[in-house]
Amino acid sequence: MLSAGVNIVGFSWITSPAATELEMIVLDWLAKMLKLPEDFLSTGQGGGVIQGTASEAVLVVLLAARDKILRKFGKNALEKLVVYGSDQTHSALQKACQIGGIHPENCRLLKTDSSTNYGLSPDLLSEVISHDISIGLIPYFLCATVGTTSSTGLDPLLALGKISKSNGMWFHVDAAYAGSACICPEYRHHIDGVEQADSFNMNAHKWLLTNFDCSALWVKEKSALIQSLSTNPEFLKNKASEENMVVDYKDWQIPLGRRFRSLKLWMVLRLYGLENLQSYIRNHIKLAKHFEELVAQDPRFEVNTYYVLQ
Ligand SMILES: Cc1ncc(COP(=O)(O)O)c(C=O)c1O
């Protein structure tokens, strides 16, 4: 109510220093709650930004990574770029490829099965990447998921991160719903390996008591986003931006206008505090386990998805 009522349209720092700076602060807090690597904090070359949805998050990083690799290989290499995910990856990746001009045949959704609890196999990924390189294609983007939508699958971040780094690829981690649980120390290991990621996303509006929309995205290299998404028309020029001393979030997202979404997250973090948010997550997991026990007792049903948070 407050966020809607104050009606900030904070696209550049100058249009609302409070909205911009609070966003930087609360995303640093949340990054610390999740024990994300320091490179994701606003104090260095990286930082966090609130997007509307996980779909927008994967789109903006896919574009940033695309433009970064095209600066190396030249614009004509666009049709050679290859994107990797699994058959459990959210369809948002495919949509991002469509928007980003990736050749429709170059979005590889690799097959998973129950033997890896529906996680992407590093061996299969390495094999496919080697084949793509051998036929002259350029592997450039990997989207791993922590908590896939239909099977709660977990992609092995440590192994996948190594593969993407050794092939010079951008490594994005989509933890849209399950990421919130990693504020509890006993579940944090599910994102071990995030240290190697170029970007990490979780939706505070899914499992962290924040009203829709509030999708937190962190990147290690904010300049990659800015190089892809910034525009600088005469009517937006101002001294603060020109002196390069401030963050202008319009250059980290698709739209120009933006709401005071950090106020919602600030309210939640300040009202509940870390311990209460951890209790809330733990209680949900307890309820899910109880639900599984009830379902397992009924012969009409079979439990065929896996707790992401065992
Ligand atoms: C793992 C995962 N990624 C992405 C999405 C897309 O979410 P959004 O509606 O925020 O774009 C979802 C939504 O269900 C999801 O579970």
Side-chain angles (χ1 to χ4, degrees):
M1 284 165 67
L2 218 108
S3 164
V6 292
N7 197 29
I8 293 298
V9 188
F11 40 86
S12 300
W13 181 89
I14 196 75
T15 60
S16 177
T20 303
E21 301 214 0
L22 192 67
E23 188 157 330
M24 294 161 72
I25 290 168
V26 292
L27 287 182
D28 281 354
W29 287 353
L30 189 51
K32 287 179 188 167
M33 286 164 67
L34 291 163
K35 305 223 173 335
L36 294 183
E38 285 204 352
D39 319 17
F40 283 128
L41 301 181
S42 66
T43 41
Q45 300 307 307
V49 55
I50 301 177
Q51 305 282 336
T53 61
S55 305
E56 288 166 66
V58 71
L59 171 61
V60 294
V61 293
L62 184 128
L63 297 177
R66 178 198 68 182
D67 294 346
K68 186 177 170 189
I69 197 111
L70 291 180
R71 283 193 288 277
K72 186 168 160 200
F73 288 99
K75 287 220 156 88
N76 291 340
L78 178 60
E79 60 177 29
K80 292 187 184 163
L81 301 186
V82 191
V83 172
Y84 303 84
S86 84
D87 56 4
Q88 302 298 307
T89 307
H90 195 275
S91 56
L93 178 67
Q94 227 171 331
K95 190 181 268 194
C97 289
Q98 284 166 220
I99 299 171
I102 303 303
H103 192 288
E105 283 173 16
N106 290 352
C107 179
R108 309 249 181 282
L109 300 178
L110 307 181
K111 206 163 160 26
T112 60
D113 58 39
S114 56
S115 68
T116 56
N117 284 359
Y118 298 101
L120 175 55
S121 150
D123 290 343
L124 177 61
L125 178 68
S126 291
E127 212 178 287
V128 176
I129 287 178
S130 301
H131 179 258
D132 284 336
I133 294 173
S134 75
I135 58 172
L137 298 177
I138 306 170
Y140 101 99
F141 189 89
L142 170 64
C143 177
T145 309
V146 175
T148 58
T149 315
S150 46
S151 59
T152 68
L154 282 169
D155 289 337
L157 302 190
L158 276 165
L160 298 180
K162 275 188 199 141
I163 297 170
S164 58
K165 289 304 102 183
S166 64
N167 287 285
M169 296 160 68
W170 185 292
F171 182 35
H172 176 65
V173 176
D174 171 4
Y177 90 81
S180 299
C182 298
I183 63 167
C184 300
E186 68 272 34
Y187 303 125
R188 169 59 179 76
H189 66 96
H190 289 298
I191 54 168
D192 282 355
V194 69
E195 294 68 29
Q196 297 179 90
D198 297 286
S199 46
F200 177 80
N201 171 234
M202 54 79 72
N203 282 352
H205 65 242
K206 276 202 163 89
W207 201 7
L208 209 63
L209 285 169
T210 310
N211 285 48
F212 185 81
D213 53 350
C214 188
S215 181
L217 170 70
W218 291 269
V219 292
K220 281 189 183 160
E221 199 187 328
K222 59 188 172 204
S223 63
L225 271 185
I226 295 168
Q227 285 186 73
S228 272
L229 301 174
S230 85
T231 51
N232 195 19
E234 194 58 37
F235 56 84
L236 292 180
K237 287 190 176 150
N238 66 85
K239 202 160 167 264
S241 300
E242 269 156 31
E243 285 175 359
N244 233 356
M245 296 296 288
V246 295
V247 166
D248 288 326
Y249 275 127
K250 71 178 178 58
D251 298 334
W252 299 45
Q253 62 172 22
I254 306 289
L256 173 69
R258 60 199 325 273
R259 296 177 288 286
F260 201 163
R261 288 180 288 214
S262 56
L263 203 50
K264 299 188 289 185
L265 193 52
W266 181 83
M267 278 285 174
V268 169
L269 300 181
R270 296 286 294 172
L271 274 175
Y272 286 80
L274 178 59
E275 280 180 20
N276 285 326
L277 288 169
Q278 288 170 334
S279 308
Y280 154 81
I281 297 272
R282 286 175 184 136
N283 188 44
H284 274 203
I285 291 170
K286 210 167 87 195
L287 290 171
K289 287 187 174 154
H290 179 56
F291 180 65
E292 184 191 28
E293 280 161 22
L294 296 177
V295 170
Q297 286 164 19
D298 189 326
R300 289 171 303 168
F301 299 113
E302 184 188 338
V303 178
N304 65 358
T305 59
Y306 297 84
Y307 282 135
V308 72
L309 304 166
Q310 279 158 351

